[in-house]
Amino acid sequence: MVNCLLSEDTIAQAAAALAAGQLVAFPTETVYGLGADAENPAAVAAIYAAKGRPQDHPVIVHLAPGAMLSHWAAEIPEQAHMLAAAFWPGPLTLILKRAANIPDAVSGGQDTVGLRCPAHPVAIALLNAFKGGQGGIAAPSANKFGHVSPTLAQHVREEFAADNTVAMVLDGGPSRVGIESTIVDLSRLATHGPVLLRPGQISADAIEAVIGQRPQAADAAAPRASGTLESHYAPHTPVAMQDGATLAATLAQLSQTAHKVALIHIAEFAEVFASLRMPADPDGFAYALYAALREMDGRGADVILVEAPPQGADWLGVNDRLRRAAHGSHGIVHGLLNSALP
Ligand code: TXA
Ligand code: MG
């Protein structure tokens, strides 16, 4: 009996679908992934097609616990072994020089590969069943390119409802972490040291504590990461983020208009069209974030207003995702106030 929420038959069926080149969506502790056999270029190409994602964006390869890193990476620095030992299975992706046999499609043509062992019983059962635990499952988040990442199987079904491209969606319940893995680039250690390409639950402090070197913020020459595009993780409704005092004033002004406001907040505010109160701690906020954006997006509001969370290091991942969700909506509040004038 596989020790996860799903039957051994279901896991075997999903592993067989992957081996046959099909796409299988599966839960991880961060967000749901849209998986394909990482060593089958046609299957990986099908992920790009399903997501509507540009071909030159690399995807993360998910590995079973204890998988052979040397099959996937050409150079494995000591720091990679230390971080894998400390955080895998878990929400950390390592960027390493890729091995020669890794298809171009996986790395978006770059000379690196992103590797991670996820900490979710369903993901681990699937990885153990797929190619006897020796395969890799290439998987970006299971959402259309640029849209909000899914933290429930239902979100994945909604994303791909109109398509016929996903063979199976494995339901493993809500993703425990709620935002994507921390990405650390170890492929240019000699020249750049470790580089933090995407903040997540595993902080720069935690990484420094293990390898004795603090990962620096990404520079222009860092490997490209689509999750680092300015506009990403965005609902269809425009999103604006404001600190509490500014937000209270905005709400007072908007209450004089007919505009519908959906509010995502921590503190107490005046009643609006729709609202969702978030946990006041960073892990709780991250856990609830994507479901909150999706729910507020579904209300038919004119704007989603978000109370800016605190700025501390623990909040880096949450603030990063919110900033990107709001990126396309500069001036939205100003526009709504102006359009309400007689
Ligand atoms: O938590 C996660 O990482 C989730 C779950 C499903 O594992 N996956 C995820 O995948 O967020 P995706 O594709 O939505 O974001 C992966 C990010 C992208 O920004 C991609 O560009 C970057 O990782 N990435 C992957 N391989 C890379 C590489 N070789 N070099 C630089 N960036 C890479
Ligand atoms: Mg993504």
Side-chain angles (χ1 to χ4, degrees):
M1 185 56 200
V2 172
N3 183 22
C4 78
L5 308 155
L6 302 174
S7 74
E8 201 167 346
D9 279 357
T10 303
I11 294 294
Q13 197 189 336
L18 287 172
Q22 295 183 307
L23 302 186
V24 173
F26 63 98
T28 84
E29 80 282 31
T30 58
V31 301
Y32 276 68
L34 183 59
D37 179 354
E39 293 173 284
N40 177 342
V44 175
I47 300 178
Y48 288 81
K51 281 189 62 110
R53 183 191 220 200
Q55 300 277 347
D56 63 345
H57 287 198
V59 286
I60 294 171
V61 177
H62 297 72
L63 303 175
M68 290 276 293
L69 281 185
S70 57
H71 181 71
W72 303 95
E75 289 167 29
I76 309 166
E78 186 52 29
Q79 289 90 331
H81 290 297
M82 293 162 88
L83 290 173
F87 297 116
W88 285 359
L92 178 70
T93 296
L94 302 177
I95 306 295
L96 302 173
K97 291 278 184 221
R98 73 169 153 139
N101 56 319
I102 304 307
D104 250 8
V106 165
S107 61
Q110 306 185 53
D111 64 352
T112 55
V113 63
L115 301 173
R116 140 169 148 83
C117 173
H120 191 291
V122 172
I124 290 177
L126 181 64
L127 284 159
N128 282 332
F130 177 58
K131 294 186 178 175
Q134 297 307 307
I137 302 180
S141 52
N143 52 277
K144 298 285 183 181
F145 183 64
H147 194 222
V148 181
S149 302
T151 52
L152 287 174
Q154 183 55 29
H155 296 159
V156 181
R157 294 188 202 105
E158 285 162 15
E159 288 283 321
F160 299 100
D163 317 13
N164 227 345
T165 45
V166 182
M168 288 176 81
V169 178
L170 300 180
D171 189 342
S175 293
R176 173 170 59 75
V177 175
I179 57 172
E180 298 81 354
S181 59
T182 304
I183 304 182
V184 180
D185 178 20
L186 299 177
S187 70
R188 305 177 304 156
L189 272 179
T191 48
H192 294 76
V195 175
L196 187 70
L197 295 186
R198 182 172 70 184
Q201 193 188 58
I202 295 178
S203 65
D205 280 346
I207 291 164
E208 183 179 6
V210 171
I211 60 175
Q213 259 176 305
R214 191 173 184 77
Q216 299 301 309
D219 60 282
R224 282 163 293 130
S226 65
T228 61
L229 292 178
E230 278 304 322
S231 172
H232 217 81
Y233 315 113
H236 302 292
T237 311
V239 177
M241 184 159 54
Q242 297 187 335
D243 66 72
T246 312
L247 182 56
T250 299
L251 291 177
Q253 287 177 290
L254 282 174
S255 72
Q256 309 299 311
T257 75
H259 295 305
K260 295 185 199 142
V261 173
L263 181 65
I264 295 177
H265 62 115
I266 297 173
E268 191 89 40
F269 288 94
E271 191 104 348
V272 288
F273 172 70
S275 67
L276 248 182
R277 191 145 189 191
M278 303 293 282
D281 66 291
D283 288 350
F285 196 109
Y287 172 78
L289 174 59
Y290 287 145
L293 285 172
R294 280 173 183 270
E295 187 180 335
M296 291 297 99
D297 199 19
R299 295 296 181 87
D302 298 300
V303 63
I304 300 172
L305 289 179
V306 183
E307 178 192 358
Q311 287 297 316
D314 290 353
W315 288 90
L316 210 58
V318 159
N319 278 308
D320 170 77
R321 303 315 188 279
L322 281 172
R323 198 162 31 76
R324 293 176 204 285
H327 179 73
S329 322
H330 287 312
I332 177 67
V333 169
H334 189 73
L336 288 176
L337 289 172
N338 279 340
S339 69
L341 295 174

